Amino acid sequence: MFALLLKSLVGALAVLLIALLSRSRHFVIAGLVPLFPTFALIAHAIVGRERSMADLRLTAVFGLCSLGPYAVYLAAAALLAERLPLAATLVSATVAWAAAAGVLLLAWGRWGPH
């Protein structure tokens, strides 16, 4: 229960930091905060405890591959930001991320290590 509370507090702290940074003259740093590997640390700790180090390595490699869909999201957001309203930009970028993530999952399932 304590671990769950700690994870919730870390998430809330990240949201607070993003909100504060977005209102400052250093607002672009708000885009860096979500890339702090909070969830990767949690995932890697769990995989590392429950599975082999080879599985941890594979999880990290898949994480590297997941940067592709994130790059697609950022590219879509950047391209659409001045063309569409905010909601349409974010929804479109999220749909682009989902499509790229689907391609990644299909490719990993077919050609990834087993």
Side-chain angles (χ1 to χ4, degrees):
M1 185 66 161
F2 178 74
L4 185 58
L5 178 64
L6 184 61
K7 292 170 192 169
S8 299
L9 290 174
V10 169
L13 180 62
V15 171
L16 179 63
L17 188 57
I18 291 168
L20 292 173
L21 283 168
S22 70
R23 291 181 176 95
S24 77
R25 65 185 174 112
H26 306 292
F27 62 92
V28 294
I29 299 172
L32 181 62
V33 174
L35 297 178
F36 182 80
T38 306
F39 297 111
L41 286 167
I42 293 166
H44 294 158
I46 293 169
V47 170
R49 273 195 309 255
E50 296 181 4
R51 303 192 60 100
S52 70
M53 293 308 285
D55 288 344
L56 175 58
R57 180 188 170 283
L58 198 55
T59 301
V61 169
F62 184 79
L64 283 170
C65 294
S66 73
L67 293 174
Y70 187 64
V72 168
Y73 169 84
L74 292 176
L79 291 171
L80 299 173
E82 294 182 346
R83 293 178 174 85
L84 297 175
L86 175 62
T89 295
L90 298 180
V91 167
S92 298
T94 301
V95 168
W97 175 89
V103 169
L104 171 61
L105 290 172
L106 289 172
W108 187 271
R110 177 166 286 185
W111 297 294
H114 295 91

